């Protein structure tokens, strides 16, 4: 199962790039601009999640040499979770819970679409689950968490 992780991540990367390029060059046309933005946010989230998996694979196989086969499923699911988080980041932006500003003015909707994609990428890359945090927890961490 571990041998298939890198080919899977590379395929996810290629699919993400191809769909992104097809959309960018209008080979896949969306009648609704908001749908196109949502697709891009999903793709940027998938890309972020995929890069995070590649980093984790390298870290645990080459540097730390502590690969744990119990985490294999995480490497397959994580890019899709990244895409979902990219979509959720779009909801946060559209709901006004996240506002972009430069010096003295707030960016008007649609004026800097790249900010949407950057947030979607970061959401896809940086998501850390509670389960993942608990997996690395020691008894000292547990005591600290209980005290908080």
């Amino acid at each position: 199962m571990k041998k298939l992780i890198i080919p899977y991540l590379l395929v996810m990367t290629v699919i993400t790039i191809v769909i992104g390029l097809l959309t960018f060059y209008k080979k896949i046309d969306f009648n609704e601009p908001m749908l196109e933005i949502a697709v891009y946010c999903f793709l940027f989230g998938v890309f972020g999640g995929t890069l995070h998996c590649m980093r984790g694979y390298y870290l645990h196989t080459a540097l730390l040499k502590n690969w744990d086969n119990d985490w294999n499923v995480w490497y397959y699911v994580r890019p899709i979770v990244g895409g979902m988080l990219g979509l959720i980041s779009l909801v946060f932006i559209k709901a006004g819970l996240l506002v972009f500003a430069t010096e003295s003015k707030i960016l008007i909707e649609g004026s800097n679409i790249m900010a949407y994609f950057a947030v979607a990428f970061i959401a896809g890359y940086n998501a850390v689950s509670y389960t993942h945090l608990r997996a690395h927890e020691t008894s000292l961490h547990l005591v600290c968490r209980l005290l908080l």
Side-chain angles (χ1 to χ4, degrees), residues 27-57:
K27 301 297 182 190
I28 300 176
D29 195 19
F30 298 98
N31 295 333
E32 181 65 38
M34 194 62 218
L35 180 59
E36 186 173 351
I37 292 170
V39 168
Y40 275 126
C41 285
F42 180 81
L43 293 174
F44 273 88
V46 168
F47 192 58
T50 303
L51 286 179
H52 184 75
C53 287
M54 288 180 181
R55 177 196 162 274
Y57 186 89

Side-chain angles (χ1 to χ4, degrees), residues 30 33 48 68 71 75 82 87 111-112 117 123 132 134 138 141 144:
F30 298 98
D68 183 354
W71 286 93
Y75 286 91
L87 282 175
S111 66
N112 194 352
F117 305 151
H132 188 131
R134 293 291 306 271
T138 65
H141 293 118
C144 291

Side-chain angles (χ1 to χ4, degrees), residues 63-98:
L63 295 179
L64 300 176
K65 298 184 186 333
N66 65 350
W67 184 263
D68 183 354
N69 285 324
D70 290 342
W71 286 93
N72 284 353
V73 172
W74 181 86
Y75 286 91
Y76 292 106
V77 174
R78 182 67 177 78
I80 303 304
V81 170
M84 301 288 194
L85 291 169
L87 282 175
I88 291 169
S89 71
L90 177 62
V91 172
F92 275 73
I93 294 167
K94 290 308 230 175
L97 298 172
L98 183 60

